[in-house]
Amino acid sequence: MTDDAFLLYGTRAVEAEPVRLSAGLLSADFVNGNLRTIRHGGTEVLRAIAYIVRDRDWGTYEPNLRDLIIDQGADAFSVSYSASCVAPDGSRLGFRATIKGSADGRLVFDVGALPESDFETNRCGFCILHPIADLAGGPVTVEHTDGSVMATKLPELIDPWQPFKDIRAITHQVRPGVAAECRMEGDTFEMEDQRNWSDASYKTYVRPLALPWPYVLPAGHPLRQTISLRITGEGKAPVAAVASEPVRVELGEAGPRLPDVGVIIYPEDVETALANLSTLSTLGPQQLLFHYDPTRGHGLDALRAFARLATACPAETTLECVAACAGDLDAELSGVAGLVRRAGLKLSAIAVSPSVDRQSTPPGSAWPDCPPLDDVYAAARRAFPDIRLGGGMFSYFTELNRKRVPADQLDFITHCTCPIVHAADDLSIMQSLEALPFITQSARAIFGAKPYRIGPSTIAMRQNPYGGATKPNPGGQRIAMADSDPRHAGLFAAAWTIGYAACVAPAGLEQLTLSSFTGPFGVLASSGEPVVEGSPRPLFKAIRGLCELAGLAHVAARTSDETKVLALAGRSASGDTVVWLANLTADDVPVDISAFGRGHLVMTPYAIVRIG
């Protein structure tokens, strides 16, 4: 790995190396008090077992670990530590954890917690993550808290609600002849389909969402939870791949056209964009997506600014219009149309979504007051009869999956994603790419062949549907739900962006937006970044590459290890093929590109490479 972490991640802070624990065929990575990548014979059994404490905005506390002891024996391992979480008001929750694993396939993670004072939380307890690769749609056995047992399947398409409730244990097949039972004690657990949020997992978590939250853990009242994993059977372990073997890239058949690429523009970004028109032209987006939110003070001045940029930049234009929906819909939306005309803003399309739908409505909660979406879109169509009308959610697929828009009234549907809703470590962000094909498949199952747009989707969170606000991140840390993320400025974001486009390409999207032009989501650098302020971030190269591919026929491209390298390919009408490769890892990766008449190359950490 390069010595310059700053270039890779936009920060010199690096994540702590995990401690590999092993006992016979059982292994797990110990990271910040929790377990990741739990394997048996090299097969991933669970993605994580983690003891999580959330605040009232669903932010995750970073516990302070002390008295850590790790004992690694020949056929067993054990870990113990104490930890505490401190809330902004000074209230404190302390807990003691022990982890034990043995060569007979048993793993136990036990935590006893004691609030030192009344402690407010949205969740306190274990989260267990089952991976989605090779498990989605597969059989499981669920034991409920009343002792009943049900043979069923994990959802193939993304479930908007909880697929299983009142869970005591879940058993699944690890590989032929080998099964894993995960048993949960100390509270009532239920499962949600985390692919809704582009997490690559099914999450089983403590405390049903139908119960009130936030809630208070009373001072001095202990709580204890235990997770027990038991792996049984005599099936053969798969033959491990040779670590030094190059990743092979293979091309398949041509499919749908690759999408136009958009760049979102906020009113405060327009002047910088106008001052950097040559750079914007070099980037080459096919679409400018103008964000317009009257509930936050946007009005005629914002639309006039958009009009100046639209006149100066030869791209299609879409207005992302937040609707207050607080009164007469025709009056509100015709008023927006009048302002657009006064501003001289020429639009190709408008996407409309009620303001309240930017906030999530969790299972068991009452839906907020909102006019029927049929009425909202009918009013928008009357106000803007001559341009294309889109709808969906300006938040995430989660919200679109739970509140499905009347697509017959729309010319296209749209939603966003964000990879740091639940976790913000490097591995989780790259693993989120695994969930994207399930999102597009689920959207297609709901809306059929309706033209489909995704974005803006960025590493950082532009708005928080699950709390009062996004998390400020002035220190440039790796934190969930943050309004900025240092990796956006590094090579990491460029690799993630190419990987994202590769994963959604088979869906035949109409448009894909993965950045703004300036600001925390943009392709131009701010001060204190790996490159000079105002110059292109590494992300610029990735977005420009996607802009150049727009309109080409997507060519199916696979690699022999898509956890390391992803490939995106397009073919022009003349038959020329262009391929982009993205290294998703912090290691050098050898790649076999003989499919393109070349030999081998070594991709450096988070590198993106164009071939053709």
Side-chain angles (χ1 to χ4, degrees):
M1 187 177 78
T2 179
D3 292 332
D4 192 358
F6 196 44
L7 179 61
L8 297 181
Y9 305 110
T11 173
R12 299 199 186 282
V14 295
E15 294 181 326
E17 287 291 326
V19 177
R20 176 62 54 84
L21 307 170
S22 61
L25 295 178
L26 178 68
S27 68
D29 289 343
F30 179 74
V31 184
N32 297 330
N34 294 313
L35 296 179
R36 293 288 303 268
T37 316
I38 301 160
R39 293 190 176 102
H40 186 266
T43 303
E44 187 177 31
V45 178
L46 295 177
R47 187 137 282 186
I49 303 176
Y51 193 82
I52 301 294
V53 183
R54 300 267 195 193
D55 64 23
R56 67 178 298 112
D57 287 324
W58 293 103
T60 304
Y61 285 103
E62 187 73 27
N64 176 35
L65 272 60
R66 61 187 185 278
D67 303 326
L68 174 63
I69 299 174
I70 300 176
D71 184 8
Q72 175 66 72
D75 296 310
F77 59 80
S78 66
V79 179
S80 63
Y81 64 88
S82 298
S84 60
C85 299
V86 181
D89 65 1
S91 57
R92 182 184 298 268
L93 173 74
F95 56 92
R96 179 71 181 171
T98 60
I99 302 169
K100 295 181 180 180
S102 57
D104 64 359
R106 293 178 183 270
L107 175 66
V108 178
F109 195 157
D110 179 84
V111 173
L114 183 67
E116 298 176 17
S117 53
D118 286 355
F119 190 87
E120 184 184 63
T121 182
N122 276 357
R123 175 172 297 152
C124 177
F126 279 110
C127 291
I128 301 97
L129 306 184
H130 282 77
I132 59 176
D134 301 323
L135 281 188
V140 293
T141 300
V142 178
E143 179 182 331
H144 294 287
T145 53
D146 63 3
S148 62
V149 177
M150 174 178 63
T152 183
K153 291 183 178 182
L154 290 166
E156 174 73 29
L157 298 176
I158 300 174
D159 197 322
W161 312 110
Q162 301 100 320
F164 311 126
K165 297 181 179 181
D166 299 323
I167 302 170
R168 182 60 66 226
I170 302 175
T171 302
H172 75 278
Q173 179 178 281
V174 175
R175 57 183 178 272
V178 178
E181 178 197 74
C182 183
R183 184 164 294 274
M184 296 145 275
E185 304 285 352
D187 208 325
T188 299
F189 288 75
E190 63 187 23
M191 176 185 281
E192 67 186 10
D193 195 335
Q194 278 209 131
R195 297 175 299 171
N196 276 295
W197 296 271
S198 74
D199 295 71
S201 58
Y202 301 98
K203 180 172 73 177
T204 304
Y205 55 91
V206 76
R207 188 176 166 91
L209 281 174
L211 296 176
W213 48 266
Y215 59 100
V216 173
L217 301 175
H221 285 236
L223 56 152
R224 182 177 180 179
Q225 295 172 22
T226 305
I227 305 301
S228 303
L229 178 66
R230 184 169 63 97
I231 301 171
T232 57
E234 301 295 332
K236 293 183 179 180
V239 177
V242 178
S244 59
E245 182 177 314
V247 173
R248 300 183 310 279
V249 183
E250 299 176 351
L251 294 182
E253 298 299 316
R257 70 181 292 278
L258 289 166
D260 289 345
V261 175
V263 171
I264 190 164
I265 304 289
Y266 296 91
E268 60 269 24
D269 298 336
V270 171
E271 293 305 323
T272 303
L274 287 168
N276 292 273
L277 279 176
S278 61
T279 304
L280 182 58
S281 177
T282 300
L283 184 67
Q286 286 76 37
Q287 185 85 224
L288 298 179
L289 180 59
F290 296 132
H291 180 71
Y292 181 73
D293 185 358
T295 71
R296 298 184 181 176
H298 298 168
L300 182 60
D301 288 345
L303 295 171
R304 282 174 171 161
F306 293 150
R308 293 199 304 274
L309 183 57
T311 300
C313 182
E316 298 291 302
T317 55
T318 295
L319 191 68
E320 184 186 61
C321 180
V322 176
C325 297
D328 184 275
L329 292 172
D330 281 308
E332 178 185 356
L333 290 164
S334 64
V336 173
L339 292 176
V340 167
R341 287 191 294 271
R342 286 179 60 191
L345 174 59
K346 303 299 182 183
L347 293 173
S348 310
I350 183 170
V352 175
S353 186
S355 181
V356 296
D357 284 344
R358 289 182 294 181
Q359 291 302 117
S360 183
T361 301
S365 301
W367 289 94
D369 290 336
C370 182
L373 291 180
D374 295 271
D375 295 348
V376 174
Y377 295 134
R381 182 73 74 183
R382 288 190 290 270
F384 294 91
D386 301 322
I387 61 174
R388 299 180 72 220
L389 173 64
M393 296 292 164
F394 297 160
S395 51
Y396 308 130
F397 176 74
T398 317
E399 287 65 54
L400 183 62
N401 200 15
R402 290 175 174 172
K403 188 176 183 180
R404 300 177 179 184
V405 300
D408 58 335
Q409 292 188 243
L410 300 170
D411 297 307
F412 61 89
I413 59 165
T414 184
H415 68 81
C416 310
T417 70
C418 177
I420 61 169
V421 173
H422 294 113
D425 60 278
D426 298 339
L427 179 60
S428 292
I429 289 177
M430 285 304 184
Q431 286 179 334
S432 72
L433 300 176
E434 297 175 23
L436 296 176
F438 291 99
I439 288 178
T440 56
Q441 290 163 19
S442 298
R444 285 297 187 205
I446 299 167
F447 300 109
K450 180 68 64 175
Y452 178 17
R453 301 182 178 190
I454 293 180
S457 297
T458 56
I459 295 175
M461 178 180 274
R462 66 170 182 157
Q463 67 100 28
N464 182 3
Y466 315 109
T470 54
K471 299 291 183 184
N473 192 14
Q477 303 176 65
R478 294 169 170 86
I479 58 175
M481 298 188 177
D483 59 5
S484 63
D485 191 288
R487 288 161 293 192
H488 186 86
L491 292 169
F492 185 98
W496 181 81
T497 296
I498 293 295
Y500 193 115
C503 289
V504 300
L509 299 181
E510 175 180 278
Q511 182 178 310
L512 179 63
T513 301
L514 296 174
S515 76
S516 62
F517 185 59
T518 64
F521 314 112
V523 297
L524 300 185
S526 301
S527 61
E529 294 187 8
V531 294
V532 176
E533 182 176 2
S535 63
R537 291 167 168 154
L539 177 64
F540 186 98
K541 179 181 177 181
I543 299 296
R544 183 174 63 183
L546 299 182
C547 292
E548 292 172 348
L549 287 175
L552 301 188
H554 172 239
V555 177
R558 294 192 59 82
T559 73
S560 58
D561 190 342
E562 296 194 331
T563 67
K564 292 181 178 179
V565 176
L566 284 173
L568 173 67
R571 184 171 296 155
S572 69
S574 62
D576 295 329
T577 300
V578 175
V579 182
W580 280 90
L581 303 177
N583 178 0
L584 308 181
T585 77
D587 300 311
D588 290 344
V589 177
V591 181
D592 177 351
I593 53 173
S594 56
F596 315 115
R598 312 277 185 93
H600 292 73
L601 60 85
V602 176
M603 297 189 70
T604 54
Y606 302 117
I608 59 173
V609 175
R610 185 185 190 273
I611 301 173

